[in-house]
Amino acid sequence: WDGSPLIIDDYLFEGGENSNIHIVKLNRGYDAKGKVTVDPELVFHAPGWDAELTAIHGSNVSIENSVAISGNTLWFANSGGLVQGWDITGLKDGVTPERIFRWWSGDDVDASLVIDDEGFIYVAAEYEKSRQRSLDVGQLIKLDPTKPDDPVVWSFFDHGTSIAGIWATPAIYKDVVVTSTDGGRVVGLDRATGEIRWEKRLPGPVWSSQVVVDDVLIQGDCAGVLHAYDLSDTTIDPPELWSVNIGGCIESTPAVWDGVIYVGTRGGRFHAIADVPVTSEQ
């Protein structure tokens, strides 16, 4: 398992390294002593690949991103670049999920699919195979799932060198999409048009996914520096508010809870970072 599972009601959804999508009925409850009980039951699993994909990409088709659900559709992609949506409308009534959307990016998709409030899908793809398909469709693609035959709304391109493509999961904030690349680009894109509004350069690879909390973009780089940028005005290049050098390439995505930022690094350390008022006693 590379991606995080998603639990809705009593069902767990998860993609596997074997490229199978799994749905587990957890059957959670309590016993007579008030202890939690669980009796997991695999109610559905299916290949995340098809013959058309393996004919092009071979057997390396694992599901490495976390699944996403929008409405009654389960979304995920695999390392073969296949983006798919599965209808889970009748799951609770015993109806077998059915694939209703299929689109190929041309390269490995490790980043989780991002879905906005209008139902559009944002796909961040790597650039390793140097396929013509990757050159044609780009490395960050906005898809309209209501148009399965021609879903591409816009594309952002990051290729041309051996250090290119996107590993991190983009962030949507107001009217912008923020993404980072293997080569160290951090880019703010107009959500409607895909046009670049601003761009920063950090020591790459920038694999740490973007996190926005209270108008602040938190971004780690591979020099071990955690940055915070003011994203309150999405029309300008966000100024840096602060940075902290914690050492070790930051590949993990920071988690923010109750005013504290938690993040791990390749240096083997786990950090908790927060504003701590300095008093006369300290």
Side-chain angles (χ1 to χ4, degrees), residues 150-170:
D150 186 22
V152 177
V153 178
W154 54 252
S155 297
F156 162 75
F157 295 87
D158 185 73
H159 52 62
T161 68
S162 60
I163 305 175
I166 302 172
W167 272 250
T169 298

Side-chain angles (χ1 to χ4, degrees), residues 16-122:
E17 281 275 9
N18 61 359
S19 196
N20 271 258
I21 186 68
H22 306 81
I23 302 177
V24 177
K25 181 75 164 59
L26 296 174
N27 295 312
R28 293 173 294 181
Y30 297 92
D31 63 17
K33 296 181 179 180
K35 303 272 189 179
V36 173
T37 61
V38 62
D39 185 18
E41 174 190 3
L42 182 64
V43 295
F44 176 77
H45 68 97
W49 73 91
D50 53 31
E52 184 179 355
L53 178 69
T54 54
I56 300 170
H57 200 83
S59 60
N60 183 13
V61 289
S62 58
I63 301 170
E64 299 179 352
N65 51 23
S66 301
V67 298
I69 291 178
S70 177
N72 288 313
T73 306
L74 171 66
W75 293 94
F76 61 93
N78 63 25
S79 57
L82 189 62
V83 178
Q84 3 189 354
W86 287 71
D87 183 7
I88 56 173
T89 302
L91 180 63
K92 295 180 181 179
D93 298 321
V95 179
T96 301
E98 177 184 4
R99 191 173 72 180
I100 57 174
F101 183 91
R102 182 193 191 278
W103 184 81
W104 185 48
S105 73
D107 212 320
D108 190 348
V109 177
D110 270 1
S112 299
L113 304 181
V114 179
I115 307 168
D116 69 16
D117 56 348
E118 298 178 291
F120 291 102
I121 311 294
Y122 299 80

Side-chain angles (χ1 to χ4, degrees), residues 61 68 73 91 170 173 175 208 245 257:
V61 289
T73 306
L91 180 63
Y173 188 65
D175 59 347
S208 178
N245 190 340
W257 179 256

Side-chain angles (χ1 to χ4, degrees), residues 140 154 156-158 166 170-172 176-181 184-190 194-202 206 210 217 219 229 231 237-238:
L140 179 62
W154 54 252
F156 162 75
F157 295 87
D158 185 73
I166 302 172
I172 295 175
V176 294
V177 182
V178 184
T179 191
S180 61
T181 73
R185 301 171 70 187
V186 180
V187 185
L189 304 166
D190 185 289
E195 294 181 0
I196 296 176
R197 290 193 182 176
W198 52 265
E199 179 172 340
K200 300 180 183 295
R201 292 279 183 168
L202 297 177
V206 182
Q210 292 66 61
L217 167 64
Q219 179 67 67
Y229 301 100
L231 203 59
D237 185 356

